[in-house]
Structure formats: C-alpha cells, structure tokens
Amino acid sequence: MSDTETLLTLGNVAEKGSDSDLTVSASNQQSYEINVRFKVADIHKTMSKIKGVVERKATIPVLKNVLIRITNFSQAELIVSDMDLMASVVVNAESDAKVGNTKATVNDLKEIGVITVPALTFYEILSALNKDSDVVITKKCANENGQSKITYDITSDSYSINIPYVDVDNFPFVNLDEYDAEFEINASLLENVLNKTSFAISNDETKFFLNGIYLHQKSEAESNVLCFVSTDLHRLAKSEVILADKLSPFKGIIIPRKAISELTGLLEKSIGMVNVKISKTKVSFKFDTSILVTKLIDGEFPEYQNAIPSIESSEVKVNINKAKLVNAVNLISIVAPEKTQSIKFSLVANDQISLVDLNGEEEGEKKGKKKAKSEDEATRDTSDSENGTFLVSTSSENSAKAEQAIAMNFEPQDKNLEINFNAKYVLEVLKVVESDKVDLYFKDSFSAVLVKDQKDSDSLYIIMPTRG
C-alpha cells in the first residue's frame, strides 16, 4: 500500500463512525513536539480548493478549522467539514517529532500528529506569504502536574503567529454508510458534465429538491447511461455520460449545490478515474489524492422528461453563430428592464424584410415617422449567406431602445416568430455550448426553446420564455 493510500483514511474513519484514530494517548503520558513543514505554494493551492467547505459563521469552533493529520514523515492530510460535507486532500509535507527526549516513530506520529488551525485565517496567511518559502506548523504539548497544555505556532521566514488550540475530539466526520452502487468515471468527463449542468441549479431554498444536480440512470436497459439534470423551473440543463459497463440499478440521487461546487474545484486539472460510491443518504468521490463525501438532498426531483420539447414537435429550427449571438445579447441586455432582463428574439426571412420592418411595423405605417437615432438604431449583420435575420431587441422603462440583427439559417422560412427571454438565462446556456454555431428549436412564441450543442449530442438545454 502506498503512502497516499495509507493517508486517504477519511472514508475508513467515517465508516467506523469513530474518532479513535484521532486520540493522542501519548500526550496523556509525556510531553511531545511535532513540526510540519509545507511548501507555501503547495499548501496554499490546496487550501484554495477546500476552504469553501468551511462555514464562516459556524457556531461550533472546530467547524471553522482545517484538521491536519500527519501519519508519516513525508505527507499530511488536510480535512475540512461542515457536518454535511467533508473534503480531504493529501499534500507533501516534511515532519519531525519527538516524544519526551526521544525521536518519534511513525506510530507516535499517528497518535500525536493531529493539528487544527483556523482554516480561513490560515488561508489568508498563506496568501500573504512568499510562495517560494516554506511554512512550518509546530504543535507542542507540555505535561504539567498531570495536565496537558497544547500550543500551536505558525512560522515562515521571519513571520510567526501563535494560534489557539481547538479540541479535535468533536471534529464532524461525515459517516459513509454501506453503499448501494459503485462506479468509475473519467475525472475530466465528470468535471465537464458538472460544469454543463450546475448553472441551472435553483437558489430557491423553498424548493430544496431543486437545490442540486439530479443523477440517475437513463433506464433499466441503459443502466450504464448516467443522466445529470438541473433546473430552477426557468431553464433546464441535462447531460448524459455513457459508462463502459452496465451498473446495478440505484435510486436517483440529488447532490447538493455546495458539494457540486466544491467537487468541481477539486476536479480541476485532475486526470485518471473517479471512484463514486452511492448510499441511501450520501455519496463519495475519490480521485487522485482527494476524497469528498456529502449528504444527499432528501427529496424527490420532479419528473422533468415531459418538460423537454422534442425536435420533432418544433416548428422552427435556427442555426446561428454563437459568438455573434452572445455579443448581441450582452449589448442589448445593457438597457433591458432591470427586474426582468427581458429581451426579444425576432426571426424574419430575408425576402420578407423589405415588406415588414424588424420592429413589427409595415412599411406604410413607417411613412412620416421620424425616430431619434438614440431610440432606434440597428446594427445589421447580413454579410453571411444565411437565409434569415435574427433580431435581438429590448426597451427599458426610461424609453431606451436597442436592437442588433444577426444573419442566421432557419427553416421553414415562412415561420416568422417573436419570443421574449431573460438575457441572463440565455447567456448562461450559451456559455457552456462548445460549438461555434448553436441550434435553437422553437415551437411558438409561448413555449420553451430547445438548445443543442453541435459538438455535444449528449447535452441539451431548455429556456422558458418571459412575458415581455
């Protein structure tokens, strides 16, 4: 067993439901001292990935701390928890220790090598230190009249700080129950699918069952196809992952938003495979030198399948340049109504632009009307060979108006359409689309639009329209 495997004991400790591995029996008998040396750059990078687990306003002191476990002389394990979510990362560290006047053994390290420091304070200190330097945490235990007094010091170059001791006995490990399902998934693939779906997670705490990503098997026949789904009822994101082997059936789970955020950060630039274990109430992810365990949301995710419009039911298909659409929505949203951020999409065939003004006025009605340039100025992009014009427009409470036209391909060409959307929702969907051109499927002016990525056939997005 490697040093890394030995250190990654978070899951094992949690499964035992015991803090027995954290006891410091040596301290009850004699004094000891331990010094742990880290490269500032290394531990700062690790702390930046796990500090989000720590609750700033936690009322239990130990919840504000990172627990550092030293179980050999060359590595340490950093653990943070908020009682619902726990993350652990192994980092390189040089340790030396003595018990009494004797150099400590590995077994001694396992007894005395448990340190807690205020996580956010420690991170701020690391941020300010020279990244090329080392930082040393010293733990001293003096046995005076049968009583143990423990002190912590952090030093780097000429800097030093003494920090208060916090008892580790009440550190909140998140127990991992016996799991019902287990599978492995490529780390970069998991990171990608989480990024493509997490933006649509609801922030409405009253709809707690929407405050995470719903993970389930596509069907009994396709048990190796995993579906990742999120929605806030204004938009929906779904992405599928096909595993090499079929899985035993498991009940769909809802992974909380905070766990998704922390997991995505840990997965950044990770390689290899992620081992996933699912129980009735928790899920764990183990990869590289990291472990994340989280409680699941106890609720039923709504039946979302019928809310996804089919391509076959769509009346209009639009193919449009993504970058130009993003630019247009960004520009137009500047003067969109502050509360609704409502913008209008107007689809018009090129051969009908001379008959109908893009603002909806017939040519005859326009005669005699003069509009100030600041009120009605369109930037028209018809340089491409597309067969239609996609107009993005809005008007605000102070009568400001803006519009921009983009060339597009759409079919059938006799289906002109106007529909309103929240600009923020449109931009968040387009941000995760990989292809240069995006496909939009419209049914009518009142139904959701289906968005498809040409480079990712396993993902889809829907956006509900607004009333304007």
Side-chain angles (χ1 to χ4, degrees), residues 20-45:
S20 58
D21 286 354
L22 298 181
T23 56
V24 286
S25 58
S27 67
N28 294 328
Q29 300 171 10
Q30 53 188 313
S31 301
Y32 64 85
E33 179 178 331
I34 182 168
N35 299 286
V36 192
R37 181 181 298 273
F38 303 91
K39 292 292 183 184
V40 171
D42 292 344
I43 194 169
H44 178 261
K45 181 179 179 180

Side-chain angles (χ1 to χ4, degrees), residues 449-462:
V449 60
L450 172 66
V451 183
K452 292 286 290 180
D453 186 339
Q454 293 185 346
K455 285 189 176 181
D456 182 8
S457 60
D458 294 321
S459 297
L460 61 84
Y461 314 92
I462 65 173

Side-chain angles (χ1 to χ4, degrees), residues 92-153:
N92 293 326
E94 296 179 4
S95 299
D96 63 79
K98 61 181 181 180
V99 178
N101 296 317
T102 306
K103 183 176 180 180
T105 65
V106 171
N107 287 334
D108 290 330
L109 279 181
K110 291 179 180 180
E111 293 184 353
I112 66 177
V114 182
I115 298 171
T116 60
V117 296
L120 300 181
T121 300
F122 187 41
Y123 175 73
E124 290 175 0
I125 291 171
L126 294 171
S127 298
L129 292 176
N130 184 340
K131 299 301 181 291
D132 295 326
S133 297
D134 293 346
V135 60
V136 178
I137 302 177
T138 300
K139 177 184 179 182
K140 295 180 180 180
C141 177
N143 199 309
E144 301 174 355
N145 300 321
Q147 298 293 321
S148 296
K149 180 182 178 182
I150 298 177
T151 59
Y152 293 140
D153 293 289

